């Protein structure tokens, strides 16, 4: 009986751990999509305070999704997300809407790069 459980454990444990990474990548993809949408909303605002509001929403979501991005194992997505965090932080400190838009456009590019990196995660062999 112990041999049966040992064999069962040996075959199913590697499968269950691989599903966790896929699920983390799905969560990270979903969260980065939310960050992208909030960044777009911030870009569309004409008022600096409203732009900051949506920027903070994007920043909080990205900070909270960092563990899923790390668990996904995609280094390209993690690097893009870390750059995105820096641009979003700087956008919250901008003193003009024009300055914030420049930083938000860069943050949006990094969101898109992160999404592409996660989509192509299997191809670049992280």
């Amino acid at each position: 009986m112990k041999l049966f459980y040992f064999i069962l454990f040996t075959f199913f444990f590697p499968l269950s751990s691989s599903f966790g990474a896929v699920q983390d990548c799905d969560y990270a993809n979903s969260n980065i999509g939310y960050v992208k949408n909030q960044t777009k909303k911030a870009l569309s605002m004409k008022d600096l305070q409203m732009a900051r509001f949506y920027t903070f929403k994007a920043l909080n979501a990205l900070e909270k999704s960092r563990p899923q991005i790390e668990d996904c194992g995609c280094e390209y997505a993690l690097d893009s997300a870390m750059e995105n965090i820096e641009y979003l932080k700087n956008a919250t400190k901008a003193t003009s809407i024009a300055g914030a838009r420049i930083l938000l456009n860069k943050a949006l590019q990094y969101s898109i790069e992160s999404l592409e990196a996660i989509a192509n995660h299997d191809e670049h062999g992280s």
Side-chain angles (χ1 to χ4, degrees):
M1 193 66 172
K2 288 183 181 181
L3 180 64
F4 173 73
Y5 286 121
F6 176 74
I7 293 170
L8 188 67
F9 178 77
T10 304
F11 286 115
F12 288 114
F13 180 72
L15 292 175
S16 66
S17 64
S18 67
F19 288 127
V22 170
Q23 189 177 23
D24 288 327
C25 289
D26 288 342
Y27 285 146
N29 192 36
S30 175
N31 291 342
I32 293 171
Y34 176 78
V35 169
K36 178 183 162 191
N37 289 336
Q38 295 304 308
T39 304
K40 283 183 176 181
K41 284 182 183 179
L43 277 167
S44 69
M45 295 295 126
K46 295 184 188 325
D47 180 39
L48 181 60
Q49 292 304 320
M50 288 303 294
R52 281 185 181 154
F53 172 75
Y54 287 109
T55 303
F56 273 116
K57 286 180 75 171
L59 182 59
N60 285 336
L62 195 54
E63 286 283 359
K64 288 180 182 178
S65 65
R66 189 188 308 188
Q68 284 89 14
I69 298 169
E70 289 172 352
D71 291 343
C72 176
C74 183
E75 292 297 321
Y76 296 110
L78 183 60
D79 291 343
S80 293
M82 298 308 292
E83 287 292 324
N84 195 354
I85 287 171
E86 290 304 313
Y87 278 102
L88 288 171
K89 282 181 182 178
N90 289 333
T92 63
K93 299 173 188 173
T95 57
S96 69
I97 192 71
R101 282 194 177 131
I102 292 169
L103 296 166
L104 288 169
N105 276 317
K106 287 298 274 185
L108 183 61
Q109 289 174 353
Y110 281 112
S111 293
I112 293 168
E113 283 182 20
S114 294
L115 289 170
E116 289 173 355
I118 290 173
N120 298 324
H121 176 56
D122 294 333
E123 294 173 11
H124 54 251
S126 290

